[in-house]
Amino acid sequence: MKSTYRALYIFAISLAAALAAILLGAVVLEILGKDPLAVYKVILTEPLKDLFGLTEISVRMVPLILVALGIAISFRSGILNIGAEGQIQMGVIAAAAAAIYLPPLPKIVILPLVLVAGALAGAIWASIAGWLKAKLNVSELLSTVMLNYIAAQLYGFLLRGPMIDPAELQVGSGTPQSVRLPKAAWIDRIIPGMRLHYGFVIAIVLAILVYVFLWRTKWGYALRAAGAGPKAARYGGIKVETCLIAAMALAGAFAGLAGAIEVTGLHRRAIEGISSGYGFSGIVVALFGGLHPAGIVPSAFFFGLLLIGADMTQRIMSVPANMVLVLQGAVILSIIAAKMLIADQYLFERFARMLEKRGRKAAGGKTKAGAGKAGAAKVDRRREQP
Amino acid sequence: MNNEPIHSLAVEGITKRFPGILACDSISLDVGEHEILAIVGENGAGKTTLMNILMGLYQPDEGKILINGREVHFRTPVDAYATGIGMVHQHFMLVPNLTVAENVLLGMREFQKFLWQDMEGVRKRIREISERYNLPVQPDAYIWQLSVGEQQRVELVKTLCLGARFLILDEPTSALTPQETDDLIALLKRMSSDLSIIFISHKLAEVTALSDRIAILRQGKVVYRGTTSGQSVSNLASLMTGHEVVLPCNECTGGSGETILEIRNLKVRSDRGFFALDGLSLSLQKGEILGLAGVSGNGQRELADALAGLRKVESGSILFRKKELANKSPRSIIEAGIGYIPEDRNEEGIVPPFNVRDNLILKDFRSKHFCKGPFFRFDETRQNAEELQKRFDIRCASLNVAAGSLSGGNIQKVILARELARKPEVLIAVYPTRGLDMGAEEFIHERLLELRSQGTAILLISEELDELLNLSDRIAVIFKGKILATMPTRETSKKKLGLLMAGISGEGAA
C-alpha cells in the first residue's frame, strides 16, 4: 500500500517538476513574443520527424553519453569531475596528433591507436586533479576548473601554432584548425549521406561495460565503496586515495575518448570549439540519468533532442538557439527541487495521509449512509488543515 | 505561550502503523504532576514512535492525547512546545559552531525581532534557568568545546528555556560516561519536584534508580504498567524481552599462556597532534578476553585505529605471532587475521548506502570465493548473506535494503557477522554494545564468548564495568595513553576499577 503511494508521490513530484520547467521556459518565450506551445512542439517533435533529425540526435548523443559515463564513475567514487571540457580538448589534440604524425598504417592498427591516444591524454589530464586531491587534499572542483582554462589555452595555442594546417598559412586565412586527418584514422559513417558514425556503437557498448564494471566487478565495488563511505572503505582495506586517482583517470579517459571520437568520426580535423560545451552538458546528462548507464542513455537522447530542437526552432521560428540553455537551466533547477521534495519524508507522509483519507472516504461512501459520510468528511477536513 | 500547568498527560489507544509494522498498538499511558514515568523497551518496541506522536512529529492513526483531561491535537512540535511539552532527543540537536546562547535563541521567536536578536535577554533567561535547576552552563561557550555531558545539559537548558514544564528524554544516557550518567540521574530527581518527566531507556538499573512508575513496551504493546518500587532488574528484563535474560558470564579463567599479540611501547598521535598513546604496552593471549577499561578519550580510539592500520604509529611495535604489524596497511592487517569491530558502527563499520549483502563482504570482496576473475559470483555472495543472516539473526526486510537504514542493533549484528565469519585470530571490539538493548547485548556477549572458546584472543574496549567484569579473563585500565594496571578479573572489583579509571593508582602502585 505504502509503496503504491510512494510511486504515486514520485510520479506527482516529477510531473510537477516537468510542468515547472515548461512553465519557466514559457515565461521567457512569452517575453520574446513567441508562442510557447508552438515552440515546444517544434523542439520536441520536429527532430523526430525524419531520419536526418534522428541521426543528428544520435550524433550529439555520442559525446554526451561518453562524458556522462565518466562523470558517473567519478561522482560514484566520491570525486566531482567538472573538468571534462578540458579533458575532451586534450583528447582531441592527442588523437589528432597521433593520426597526423604516426607513419601510415592500416586502419585496423591506426584507428585504435588514435582512440587510445585520446583516452590516455584525457586520463592523464584528469589524473592531475585526482592526484592533487589524494595527496594534498586540493578540492577537485577548483583544480578541474582551473585545468579547463589551461587546456583551453593550450588547445588554442596548438591550433594556431604548431598544429595549424599549412594550407591556412599559405592562403592567409589563418583559420585555427589542423590538417585533415588521414582517411585511415576516420571512423566510418553508418548511413550514407548522414553524419551518424560508428562512434555511436562504441558509446552504447561502453555504457553496458560501465554498468558491468561498476556493479559486477570487485574494482567497481571498491570505487563505489570509496565514494559511498570512505571511512568504511578504508576500514575494509580499500585504498581510498588510489580509488580517487583511478576514478578521475577513468572519467578523464571517457572524456578524452569523446574528444577522439568527435575528431575522427565527425569533424575529421581538430577545429576550434570542438568540445561545444559537452563537458558541462555531460554533467547534466549524468545527473539527470541518475548516475547510472541505463539512465544516461535515455537522458543523452533527451538532451540531444533539445539541442537539435533548438537548432530547428532557430531556423523555423527564429527563436535564438540560446533559448535551449534557458530550458536546460530550468530543467536542472526543477530536477534538483524535485529530488529534495522526493527525499522529504514529512511531505510524503502528508501526501500519503491525504490519499489514504480520500481512499477511505471513497470506500466509506459506498457502504455508509449519506449523513454519516458528510459528518466524517467534515471531521477529516478539519484535521487535515495545516 | 500558554502557561497553564500540566497536571496530567495521558494517551489513550494510540495506534500507528508503518509499512509492514504495527509500531504502536493501542497504547494507553498516563503521567501525573511531578512524576517520573520510565518507558522501557527494546529497540523497535515503539518508544520513540510514541514520543514522536506526543511531540506532533507523527500523527496517530487512532487514539487521542489528553492534557488535564482535555483532548489536544499536535500537528508540529511547535504545538507541543506551546502547550509546555519539550523533548530532548537521543541525538543532540545542537549546532556545534554556535554558542550555547545562539543555540537556545534558534528556537525562541520572542527574542528574535526583525534583524535584531536579543542576545542579552537570552543570556538572562539561560542564567535564570540554570540557577533555578542547578544546571551550570556558560552561555558564551561554543558547543564544540563542550563534552558530551555538558552538551546534554545545554539540551536540557534549551528545552526548559522554551517553556517546557513536561520533559521527554529519549535515551538520554546512551552517549554518557558512567559518571555523567550518575550526575544526570541525580539532577533529574531534583528537577522532578518542579516538572513531570518521561524517561525513555533500556538500561534498567537507571530506570529503577530514577522513576516512580514504569511502563514496559514490547512490539508496540504495553506489557506492564505499575510502580517501580519492588521490581527487580531481572524481573523487568524478562518482561521487556519476553523471555528470561541471563547475560552470559565468563566462567573459566582463560588464556592458553601463548602470547599472540604483543604491543610494546606504542606511541600514537591523536587527531589534534598530541600523543594519545604514550608508550603503551599490552599483551594478549590466545583464547582470552582482555578487557580494556577506561573513561573514553584516554587513547582507546587511537589504540584501536593503530592496531587496524588506520593511524600512523610514531614509535613502538605491534607484534602479531612475532611479526611486525605497526604501520602495515589495513588490508594486510585484515589478511593477517585481525578482526575489528569499530566504535563508529554507522559510518566506519558499514558503507551506509550499500545493501546488507554487499556490506557482509566488505573485507572479502576480492577473495576467490566471491569473485571469478574480476567478476562477482552473485550466487555466493547471496548465499553468504543468507547464511549469516540466519546465524546472526539479522532482522531486515530484505538483504537488498541499505544497511544504513537498519537499527543500531542490526547494524552491529551485520558487523559482528562479517568479522566473526572471517574466523579472526585476534578481535578488537570497541564499545560493542554501546546504545544497544538487552536482547542484542546478550546476543553479542554470547557470540564473543563463543569465539573466545574457539581460541580467538579478544581485546574488549569498553566503559561498561558490568560488561568488562562479566566477559573478561583479565582487565587492563588505560589512563592518559598508558596502561595503569593489568589484573585477573577475579582479583578486581568495580570500586577498584573506578578508582583506576579516574587515574588513582591503588595500593598496588603505592
Side-chain angles (χ1 to χ4, degrees), chain A residues 154-179:
Chain A
L154 190 65
Y155 190 76
F157 165 73
L158 287 173
L159 284 195
R160 283 180 173 78
M163 283 179 78
I164 195 167
D165 185 355
E168 291 291 332
L169 293 177
Q170 268 168 14
V171 181
S173 57
T175 312
Q177 58 181 25
S178 74
V179 294

PDB file of all heavy atoms in Angstrom, chain A residues 154-179:
ATOM      1  N   LEU A 154      45.968  25.905 -24.146  1.00  0.00           N
ATOM      2  CA  LEU A 154      46.908  25.020 -24.832  1.00  0.00           C
ATOM      3  C   LEU A 154      46.335  24.613 -26.189  1.00  0.00           C
ATOM      4  O   LEU A 154      47.029  24.626 -27.215  1.00  0.00           O
ATOM      5  CB  LEU A 154      47.136  23.786 -23.950  1.00  0.00           C
ATOM      6  CG  LEU A 154      48.270  22.852 -24.378  1.00  0.00           C
ATOM      7  CD1 LEU A 154      49.598  23.574 -24.267  1.00  0.00           C
ATOM      8  CD2 LEU A 154      48.290  21.606 -23.497  1.00  0.00           C
ATOM      9  N   TYR A 155      45.049  24.314 -26.182  1.00  0.00           N
ATOM     10  CA  TYR A 155      44.358  23.896 -27.399  1.00  0.00           C
ATOM     11  C   TYR A 155      44.417  25.010 -28.447  1.00  0.00           C
ATOM     12  O   TYR A 155      44.796  24.795 -29.603  1.00  0.00           O
ATOM     13  CB  TYR A 155      42.904  23.561 -27.044  1.00  0.00           C
ATOM     14  CG  TYR A 155      42.113  22.897 -28.133  1.00  0.00           C
ATOM     15  CD1 TYR A 155      42.315  21.548 -28.418  1.00  0.00           C
ATOM     16  CD2 TYR A 155      41.170  23.605 -28.873  1.00  0.00           C
ATOM     17  CE1 TYR A 155      41.579  20.924 -29.415  1.00  0.00           C
ATOM     18  CE2 TYR A 155      40.438  22.993 -29.870  1.00  0.00           C
ATOM     19  CZ  TYR A 155      40.641  21.654 -30.140  1.00  0.00           C
ATOM     20  OH  TYR A 155      39.920  21.038 -31.124  1.00  0.00           O
ATOM     21  N   GLY A 156      44.065  26.212 -27.995  1.00  0.00           N
ATOM     22  CA  GLY A 156      44.094  27.349 -28.905  1.00  0.00           C
ATOM     23  C   GLY A 156      45.496  27.595 -29.446  1.00  0.00           C
ATOM     24  O   GLY A 156      45.682  27.837 -30.643  1.00  0.00           O
ATOM     25  N   PHE A 157      46.482  27.478 -28.569  1.00  0.00           N
ATOM     26  CA  PHE A 157      47.868  27.725 -28.989  1.00  0.00           C
ATOM     27  C   PHE A 157      48.300  26.703 -30.038  1.00  0.00           C
ATOM     28  O   PHE A 157      48.856  27.060 -31.081  1.00  0.00           O
ATOM     29  CB  PHE A 157      48.787  27.655 -27.762  1.00  0.00           C
ATOM     30  CG  PHE A 157      50.247  27.537 -28.116  1.00  0.00           C
ATOM     31  CD1 PHE A 157      50.941  28.631 -28.619  1.00  0.00           C
ATOM     32  CD2 PHE A 157      50.925  26.329 -27.960  1.00  0.00           C
ATOM     33  CE1 PHE A 157      52.278  28.522 -28.958  1.00  0.00           C
ATOM     34  CE2 PHE A 157      52.252  26.213 -28.287  1.00  0.00           C
ATOM     35  CZ  PHE A 157      52.945  27.318 -28.794  1.00  0.00           C
ATOM     36  N   LEU A 158      48.019  25.431 -29.803  1.00  0.00           N
ATOM     37  CA  LEU A 158      48.471  24.392 -30.730  1.00  0.00           C
ATOM     38  C   LEU A 158      47.795  24.549 -32.093  1.00  0.00           C
ATOM     39  O   LEU A 158      48.424  24.368 -33.125  1.00  0.00           O
ATOM     40  CB  LEU A 158      48.187  22.998 -30.146  1.00  0.00           C
ATOM     41  CG  LEU A 158      49.113  22.596 -28.996  1.00  0.00           C
ATOM     42  CD1 LEU A 158      48.668  21.293 -28.374  1.00  0.00           C
ATOM     43  CD2 LEU A 158      50.562  22.483 -29.477  1.00  0.00           C
ATOM     44  N   LEU A 159      46.509  24.887 -32.100  1.00  0.00           N
ATOM     45  CA  LEU A 159      45.794  25.018 -33.372  1.00  0.00           C
ATOM     46  C   LEU A 159      46.224  26.264 -34.145  1.00  0.00           C
ATOM     47  O   LEU A 159      46.102  26.329 -35.358  1.00  0.00           O
ATOM     48  CB  LEU A 159      44.288  25.061 -33.135  1.00  0.00           C
ATOM     49  CG  LEU A 159      43.620  23.738 -32.813  1.00  0.00           C
ATOM     50  CD1 LEU A 159      42.120  23.862 -32.967  1.00  0.00           C
ATOM     51  CD2 LEU A 159      44.143  22.632 -33.708  1.00  0.00           C
ATOM     52  N   ARG A 160      46.707  27.268 -33.401  1.00  0.00           N
ATOM     53  CA  ARG A 160      47.153  28.484 -34.090  1.00  0.00           C
ATOM     54  C   ARG A 160      48.626  28.402 -34.442  1.00  0.00           C
ATOM     55  O   ARG A 160      49.090  29.096 -35.340  1.00  0.00           O
ATOM     56  CB  ARG A 160      46.918  29.698 -33.190  1.00  0.00           C
ATOM     57  CG  ARG A 160      45.484  30.121 -33.151  1.00  0.00           C
ATOM     58  CD  ARG A 160      45.281  31.334 -32.255  1.00  0.00           C
ATOM     59  NE  ARG A 160      43.911  31.812 -32.362  1.00  0.00           N
ATOM     60  CZ  ARG A 160      42.873  31.238 -31.759  1.00  0.00           C
ATOM     61  NH1 ARG A 160      43.074  30.178 -30.985  1.00  0.00           N
ATOM     62  NH2 ARG A 160      41.661  31.703 -31.926  1.00  0.00           N
ATOM     63  N   GLY A 161      49.372  27.557 -33.732  1.00  0.00           N
ATOM     64  CA  GLY A 161      50.810  27.481 -33.928  1.00  0.00           C
ATOM     65  C   GLY A 161      51.250  26.150 -34.524  1.00  0.00           C
ATOM     66  O   GLY A 161      51.013  25.870 -35.699  1.00  0.00           O
ATOM     67  N   PRO A 162      51.821  25.305 -33.709  1.00  0.00           N
ATOM     68  CA  PRO A 162      52.481  24.084 -34.206  1.00  0.00           C
ATOM     69  C   PRO A 162      51.594  23.190 -35.061  1.00  0.00           C
ATOM     70  O   PRO A 162      52.087  22.573 -36.001  1.00  0.00           O
ATOM     71  CB  PRO A 162      52.879  23.358 -32.919  1.00  0.00           C
ATOM     72  CG  PRO A 162      52.911  24.409 -31.882  1.00  0.00           C
ATOM     73  CD  PRO A 162      51.933  25.439 -32.265  1.00  0.00           C
ATOM     74  N   MET A 163      50.278  23.116 -34.756  1.00  0.00           N
ATOM     75  CA  MET A 163      49.467  22.127 -35.461  1.00  0.00           C
ATOM     76  C   MET A 163      48.616  22.733 -36.566  1.00  0.00           C
ATOM     77  O   MET A 163      47.783  22.050 -37.159  1.00  0.00           O
ATOM     78  CB  MET A 163      48.568  21.379 -34.473  1.00  0.00           C
ATOM     79  CG  MET A 163      49.318  20.325 -33.671  1.00  0.00           C
ATOM     80  SD  MET A 163      48.249  19.485 -32.499  1.00  0.00           S
ATOM     81  CE  MET A 163      47.376  18.360 -33.559  1.00  0.00           C
ATOM     82  N   ILE A 164      48.766  24.005 -36.840  1.00  0.00           N
ATOM     83  CA  ILE A 164      47.871  24.636 -37.821  1.00  0.00           C
ATOM     84  C   ILE A 164      48.097  24.044 -39.209  1.00  0.00           C
ATOM     85  O   ILE A 164      49.215  23.634 -39.558  1.00  0.00           O
ATOM     86  CB  ILE A 164      48.059  26.164 -37.830  1.00  0.00           C
ATOM     87  CG1 ILE A 164      46.889  26.832 -38.548  1.00  0.00           C
ATOM     88  CG2 ILE A 164      49.384  26.546 -38.455  1.00  0.00           C
ATOM     89  CD1 ILE A 164      46.816  28.331 -38.340  1.00  0.00           C
ATOM     90  N   ASP A 165      47.008  23.970 -39.964  1.00  0.00           N
ATOM     91  CA  ASP A 165      47.060  23.449 -41.331  1.00  0.00           C
ATOM     92  C   ASP A 165      47.954  24.368 -42.178  1.00  0.00           C
ATOM     93  O   ASP A 165      47.668  25.565 -42.287  1.00  0.00           O
ATOM     94  CB  ASP A 165      45.630  23.443 -41.878  1.00  0.00           C
ATOM     95  CG  ASP A 165      45.553  22.813 -43.251  1.00  0.00           C
ATOM     96  OD1 ASP A 165      46.621  22.476 -43.809  1.00  0.00           O
ATOM     97  OD2 ASP A 165      44.427  22.646 -43.744  1.00  0.00           O
ATOM     98  N   PRO A 166      49.061  23.861 -42.781  1.00  0.00           N
ATOM     99  CA  PRO A 166      49.947  24.732 -43.561  1.00  0.00           C
ATOM    100  C   PRO A 166      49.185  25.450 -44.671  1.00  0.00           C
ATOM    101  O   PRO A 166      49.532  26.583 -45.018  1.00  0.00           O
ATOM    102  CB  PRO A 166      50.975  23.752 -44.146  1.00  0.00           C
ATOM    103  CG  PRO A 166      50.921  22.547 -43.271  1.00  0.00           C
ATOM    104  CD  PRO A 166      49.534  22.476 -42.720  1.00  0.00           C
ATOM    105  N   ALA A 167      48.141  24.819 -45.199  1.00  0.00           N
ATOM    106  CA  ALA A 167      47.366  25.451 -46.262  1.00  0.00           C
ATOM    107  C   ALA A 167      46.761  26.765 -45.791  1.00  0.00           C
ATOM    108  O   ALA A 167      46.677  27.733 -46.552  1.00  0.00           O
ATOM    109  CB  ALA A 167      46.252  24.503 -46.735  1.00  0.00           C
ATOM    110  N   GLU A 168      46.330  26.792 -44.527  1.00  0.00           N
ATOM    111  CA  GLU A 168      45.732  28.010 -43.978  1.00  0.00           C
ATOM    112  C   GLU A 168      46.742  29.153 -44.011  1.00  0.00           C
ATOM    113  O   GLU A 168      46.390  30.297 -44.249  1.00  0.00           O
ATOM    114  CB  GLU A 168      45.276  27.768 -42.540  1.00  0.00           C
ATOM    115  CG  GLU A 168      44.096  26.831 -42.400  1.00  0.00           C
ATOM    116  CD  GLU A 168      42.818  27.442 -42.933  1.00  0.00           C
ATOM    117  OE1 GLU A 168      42.704  28.672 -42.916  1.00  0.00           O
ATOM    118  OE2 GLU A 168      41.947  26.666 -43.377  1.00  0.00           O
ATOM    119  N   LEU A 169      48.011  28.811 -43.736  1.00  0.00           N
ATOM    120  CA  LEU A 169      49.037  29.838 -43.718  1.00  0.00           C
ATOM    121  C   LEU A 169      49.301  30.335 -45.128  1.00  0.00           C
ATOM    122  O   LEU A 169      49.494  31.532 -45.359  1.00  0.00           O
ATOM    123  CB  LEU A 169      50.324  29.292 -43.089  1.00  0.00           C
ATOM    124  CG  LEU A 169      50.204  28.970 -41.587  1.00  0.00           C
ATOM    125  CD1 LEU A 169      51.498  28.357 -41.070  1.00  0.00           C
ATOM    126  CD2 LEU A 169      49.858  30.220 -40.799  1.00  0.00           C
ATOM    127  N   GLN A 170      49.298  29.377 -46.110  1.00  0.00           N
ATOM    128  CA  GLN A 170      49.559  29.755 -47.492  1.00  0.00           C
ATOM    129  C   GLN A 170      48.485  30.706 -48.014  1.00  0.00           C
ATOM    130  O   GLN A 170      48.772  31.769 -48.552  1.00  0.00           O
ATOM    131  CB  GLN A 170      49.607  28.509 -48.384  1.00  0.00           C
ATOM    132  CG  GLN A 170      51.018  27.962 -48.513  1.00  0.00           C
ATOM    133  CD  GLN A 170      51.022  26.588 -49.135  1.00  0.00           C
ATOM    134  OE1 GLN A 170      50.016  26.140 -49.696  1.00  0.00           O
ATOM    135  NE2 GLN A 170      52.154  25.909 -49.048  1.00  0.00           N
ATOM    136  N   VAL A 171      47.233  30.294 -47.785  1.00  0.00           N
ATOM    137  CA  VAL A 171      46.128  31.113 -48.271  1.00  0.00           C
ATOM    138  C   VAL A 171      46.054  32.427 -47.495  1.00  0.00           C
ATOM    139  O   VAL A 171      45.642  33.450 -48.014  1.00  0.00           O
ATOM    140  CB  VAL A 171      44.801  30.343 -48.155  1.00  0.00           C
ATOM    141  CG1 VAL A 171      43.647  31.167 -48.685  1.00  0.00           C
ATOM    142  CG2 VAL A 171      44.897  29.024 -48.888  1.00  0.00           C
ATOM    143  N   GLY A 172      46.477  32.325 -46.232  1.00  0.00           N
ATOM    144  CA  GLY A 172      46.483  33.531 -45.422  1.00  0.00           C
ATOM    145  C   GLY A 172      45.203  33.732 -44.627  1.00  0.00           C
ATOM    146  O   GLY A 172      45.066  34.724 -43.936  1.00  0.00           O
ATOM    147  N   SER A 173      44.239  32.788 -44.713  1.00  0.00           N
ATOM    148  CA  SER A 173      43.010  32.947 -43.942  1.00  0.00           C
ATOM    149  C   SER A 173      43.257  32.680 -42.459  1.00  0.00           C
ATOM    150  O   SER A 173      42.634  33.267 -41.597  1.00  0.00           O
ATOM    151  CB  SER A 173      41.917  32.026 -44.472  1.00  0.00           C
ATOM    152  OG  SER A 173      42.365  30.686 -44.453  1.00  0.00           O
ATOM    153  N   GLY A 174      44.193  31.762 -42.172  1.00  0.00           N
ATOM    154  CA  GLY A 174      44.632  31.560 -40.780  1.00  0.00           C
ATOM    155  C   GLY A 174      43.574  31.002 -39.869  1.00  0.00           C
ATOM    156  O   GLY A 174      43.614  31.222 -38.662  1.00  0.00           O
ATOM    157  N   THR A 175      42.568  30.279 -40.387  1.00  0.00           N
ATOM    158  CA  THR A 175      41.594  29.642 -39.510  1.00  0.00           C
ATOM    159  C   THR A 175      42.312  28.651 -38.601  1.00  0.00           C
ATOM    160  O   THR A 175      43.078  27.817 -39.096  1.00  0.00           O
ATOM    161  CB  THR A 175      40.540  28.878 -40.336  1.00  0.00           C
ATOM    162  OG1 THR A 175      40.075  29.732 -41.368  1.00  0.00           O
ATOM    163  CG2 THR A 175      39.403  28.402 -39.464  1.00  0.00           C
ATOM    164  N   PRO A 176      42.104  28.759 -37.287  1.00  0.00           N
ATOM    165  CA  PRO A 176      42.833  27.843 -36.396  1.00  0.00           C
ATOM    166  C   PRO A 176      42.281  26.426 -36.494  1.00  0.00           C
ATOM    167  O   PRO A 176      41.311  26.082 -35.830  1.00  0.00           O
ATOM    168  CB  PRO A 176      42.622  28.438 -35.002  1.00  0.00           C
ATOM    169  CG  PRO A 176      41.401  29.275 -35.123  1.00  0.00           C
ATOM    170  CD  PRO A 176      41.292  29.710 -36.532  1.00  0.00           C
ATOM    171  N   GLN A 177      42.853  25.598 -37.324  1.00  0.00           N
ATOM    172  CA  GLN A 177      42.462  24.191 -37.419  1.00  0.00           C
ATOM    173  C   GLN A 177      43.624  23.370 -37.947  1.00  0.00           C
ATOM    174  O   GLN A 177      44.526  23.895 -38.589  1.00  0.00           O
ATOM    175  CB  GLN A 177      41.242  24.034 -38.313  1.00  0.00           C
ATOM    176  CG  GLN A 177      41.446  24.553 -39.710  1.00  0.00           C
ATOM    177  CD  GLN A 177      40.195  24.399 -40.564  1.00  0.00           C
ATOM    178  OE1 GLN A 177      39.097  24.337 -40.054  1.00  0.00           O
ATOM    179  NE2 GLN A 177      40.377  24.308 -41.868  1.00  0.00           N
ATOM    180  N   SER A 178      43.587  22.081 -37.674  1.00  0.00           N
ATOM    181  CA  SER A 178      44.672  21.205 -38.113  1.00  0.00           C
ATOM    182  C   SER A 178      44.401  20.741 -39.546  1.00  0.00           C
ATOM    183  O   SER A 178      43.338  21.031 -40.107  1.00  0.00           O
ATOM    184  CB  SER A 178      44.767  19.988 -37.195  1.00  0.00           C
ATOM    185  OG  SER A 178      43.702  19.109 -37.462  1.00  0.00           O
ATOM    186  N   VAL A 179      45.356  20.031 -40.107  1.00  0.00           N
ATOM    187  CA  VAL A 179      45.094  19.427 -41.419  1.00  0.00           C
ATOM    188  C   VAL A 179      44.045  18.344 -41.245  1.00  0.00           C
ATOM    189  O   VAL A 179      43.777  17.885 -40.142  1.00  0.00           O
ATOM    190  CB  VAL A 179      46.372  18.797 -42.041  1.00  0.00           C
ATOM    191  CG1 VAL A 179      47.373  19.866 -42.368  1.00  0.00           C
ATOM    192  CG2 VAL A 179      46.943  17.746 -41.120  1.00  0.00           C
TER     193      VAL A 179
END
